[in-house]
Amino acid sequence: MLIAGAAVSFILLNLVTWLIQNAFGGQVHIWENEFQREVRTYHEEPLRSTMLFFTYLGGFYSTVCVSLGFALLLAVWREYREALMLLVTSLGAWLLNTILKAHFMRPRPELEFWTHASGYSFPSGHATIAAAMYGMLFFIWARYRRQKNQSMVPAILCGIVLIALIGITRVYLGVHYPTDIIAGFASGFLWLVTCAYALSVWQKRKPQQPFDDAKG
């Protein structure tokens, strides 16, 4: 199931990229350059420091620490499936993004970078991993709230805002084109859906104790 999900993400992203290139040609690149120049006119503090903070949350070391930390916490609560799937989601998103970057080999924007960046540009690794890893965290939180007969809306909204902010920072800081972010969100979300579905199927086949029972 997970392999199929990764394959679907790869195929769909290639298909969408091909359609956009053939339908719009260089117009997309012109729009991206204009959008970046407009966004980067706002560079006063504290906006710039805020953007650097959120881009740091989507960085490699931050996402590794977050995923390992929450996986350990979930394991302490005896939510072993959630812990394992969180790690699988994070690792899978990183591998998928690495493969996609090597496949497309798109250079980064020719702008002054306001943060460190290396490697290819498309799709954004920050956007891919944020959509998948943070998406899984908020999905687990939303499931927990549903178990408590509480609204899932706060978890969903918090997840959307955090993931969106991480993606926006990459364009603002000059290290990605807008389509890099959109593609990263798309591939990360498809991988998230695959992992979330696998977790739900696993849970239905052999239910485990809810959070409160495990912690008690």
Side-chain angles (χ1 to χ4, degrees):
M1 182 186 298
L2 296 177
I3 295 175
V8 169
S9 298
F10 182 83
I11 293 170
L12 284 179
L13 192 55
N14 271 278
L15 178 60
V16 171
T17 302
W18 181 84
L19 289 172
I20 291 175
Q21 288 176 343
N22 282 271
F24 299 102
Q27 294 180 3
V28 174
H29 193 62
I30 293 172
W31 168 80
E32 288 184 305
N33 288 331
E34 292 177 350
F35 180 79
Q36 282 185 307
R37 284 195 293 267
E38 179 64 27
V39 169
R40 285 165 62 86
T41 58
Y42 304 96
H43 51 78
E44 295 83 3
E45 296 292 353
L47 178 61
R48 191 161 171 172
S49 296
T50 303
M51 290 293 184
L52 287 169
F53 170 75
F54 279 103
T55 210
Y56 175 76
L57 291 181
F60 176 77
Y61 295 108
S62 297
T63 52
V64 167
C65 291
V66 170
S67 58
L68 288 176
F70 275 95
L72 179 60
L73 181 61
L74 288 166
V76 169
W77 288 347
R78 292 188 289 173
E79 297 290 340
Y80 304 115
R81 297 174 189 175
E82 283 80 358
L84 178 60
M85 194 55 67
L86 176 61
L87 295 177
V88 169
T89 303
S90 304
L91 178 60
W94 181 80
L95 290 173
L96 178 61
N97 183 255
T98 300
I99 293 171
L100 289 170
K101 281 181 180 289
H103 174 69
F104 288 103
M105 294 190 295
R106 184 186 195 183
R108 291 188 182 270
E110 296 179 357
L111 295 170
E112 176 191 359
F113 292 178
W114 291 345
T115 186
H116 172 73
S118 60
Y120 293 116
S121 186
F122 185 93
S124 165
H126 277 64
T128 302
I129 298 172
M133 190 274 288
Y134 284 114
M136 177 56 74
L137 271 178
F138 286 102
F139 171 74
I140 293 172
W141 182 25
R143 290 178 73 241
Y144 169 69
R145 290 184 62 86
R146 185 176 62 182
Q147 291 174 6
K148 299 281 291 182
N149 294 320
Q150 298 174 346
S151 173
M152 296 188 295
V153 173
I156 294 172
L157 288 180
C158 287
I160 291 173
V161 170
L162 176 60
I163 294 167
L165 283 173
I166 291 173
I168 291 170
T169 64
R170 306 306 286 171
V171 177
Y172 174 82
L173 296 170
V175 295
H176 279 293
Y177 295 105
T179 50
D180 298 338
I181 307 304
I182 295 171
F185 284 157
S187 58
F189 178 73
L190 287 171
W191 178 241
L192 167 64
V193 170
T194 301
C195 294
Y197 178 72
L199 176 60
S200 298
V201 171
W202 193 8
Q203 182 68 34
K204 287 180 181 178
R205 287 181 178 177
K206 190 176 180 181
Q208 62 187 14
Q209 293 178 324
F211 280 91
D212 285 352
D213 292 346
K215 290 185 288 185

